[in-house]
Amino acid sequence: MKHTSGAAALAAACLTPQTALAQASPPSSPSDVSASIAVGSDYVWRGLTQTGGKPAAFVTVTATRGGFYVGAGTENVDFAGISQEYDLWGGYAFTAGDTTVDLGLSFYGYVNAPANIDTLEAKLALTRTRGKLTYGSAAYYTPNYFGSGQDALYLEANGAWQFSDRLAGSAAVGVQTISSLDDYVTWNAGLSYALSKRLKLDLRYHDTDGYPEGSARGAALLTYAF
C-alpha cells in the first residue's frame, strides 16, 4: 500500500501500488516467466513504512512475451488492522530510439480490510542507458487514491550506476501530489550487491520532507530470483 497513517487509511483520507518488487521492470527476454521471494527489515513505499518498521516478506511472479508482461505478488503489511496486501500488474514495454517506454497498470488489494481501499494505478515510465549509467523518469496516476476519492499523481526521477558485475548504486526522488491534501517529497538511495547469480542484497536509505510516518529510515532487502 501505501498508507499515510493508520487512521487515514480508513476514512476519506485513506491515503496510503510496484511494493518495491511489485513494480520491478518486466523481464527483458522475448518470452519468459520469472519469480522471486524476498525478506526485508521493513516495507517502505514512497518513503512510508507499510509494516510499522517491522520485517516483511514478499513473493512475486511475472510472465512476459515480447513487450507484454503480467505479474502478481503478495506481502505482509501492518496498519489499520490489515495484515496482507496483494498486487496485480501488467503492461507493455517497447523501445523508441534509445528510450525504453513502459506503459502499465497496477492493482493494489488488501485482505480483510475494514474499508475498501483497493486501488488501480496507471504508469508511464521512460528509461535510458548510457554505459554504466541507467536513468529515467516515471509518472503514476490514480483517480481514487486508496479509497479517498482523491486524484493522485506521483512523479519520480531515478538513476543507477553499475560499479561492477556485482555492485550497483541507485537513487530516486519523487513528489506525491493528492488533490485537496498535502503533497510530499520522498527520496531514497542505496547499494545492491549480487551475492550469487540469484541472490541479491539491497541496503537503502529512505526519507521524506517531514510527512507523517515518513521519517528517515534504513531498510535491507534480500531477494532470491528463480
Side-chain angles (χ1 to χ4, degrees):
M1 175 177 179
K2 304 21 175 175
H3 78 303
T4 56
S5 72
L10 294 178
C14 157
L15 314 176
T16 32
Q18 197 203 304
T19 73
L21 298 177
Q23 297 185 24
S25 298
S28 58
S29 58
S31 182
D32 193 17
V33 176
S34 63
S36 69
I37 56 175
V39 291
S41 61
D42 196 353
Y43 170 13
V44 183
W45 183 85
R46 297 180 188 170
L48 309 179
T49 178
Q50 305 302 297
T51 53
K54 293 178 286 189
F58 307 83
V59 179
T60 70
V61 61
T62 300
T64 184
R65 184 172 182 81
F68 294 96
Y69 62 91
V70 293
T74 187
E75 53 279 330
N76 61 288
V77 296
D78 186 7
F79 59 87
I82 305 170
S83 60
Q84 197 68 28
E85 172 186 344
Y86 64 95
D87 309 303
L88 306 172
W89 61 92
Y92 180 68
F94 61 94
T95 300
D98 58 357
T99 301
T100 298
V101 181
D102 184 0
L103 300 169
L105 290 172
S106 295
F107 176 81
Y108 310 101
Y110 301 91
V111 179
N112 296 325
N116 183 8
I117 60 173
D118 296 349
T119 297
L120 183 66
E121 188 174 61
K123 172 186 69 173
L124 168 61
L126 307 175
T127 306
R128 290 184 176 182
T129 298
R130 293 285 186 274
K132 295 183 177 181
L133 174 65
T134 299
Y135 61 96
S137 59
Y140 301 85
Y141 171 77
T142 177
N144 184 17
Y145 190 65
F146 298 96
S148 66
Q150 304 282 341
D151 292 298
L153 178 66
Y154 179 72
L155 301 175
E156 181 183 274
N158 52 68
W161 182 268
Q162 194 71 37
F163 293 104
S164 68
D165 290 342
R166 290 178 175 262
L167 180 65
S170 60
V173 59
V175 179
Q176 180 72 70
T177 63
I178 309 162
S179 59
S180 303
L181 295 164
D182 291 338
D183 303 341
Y184 72 96
V185 178
T186 179
W187 57 93
N188 70 78
L191 295 171
S192 61
Y193 185 78
L195 300 169
S196 68
K197 183 178 180 179
R198 298 185 180 275
L199 189 65
K200 182 173 71 174
L201 175 65
D202 185 269
L203 302 176
R204 191 157 301 276
Y205 169 84
H206 300 266
D207 205 351
T208 72
D209 61 350
Y211 202 77
E213 296 191 48
S215 58
R217 64 183 64 245
L221 183 69
L222 185 65
T223 303
Y224 184 84
F226 296 91

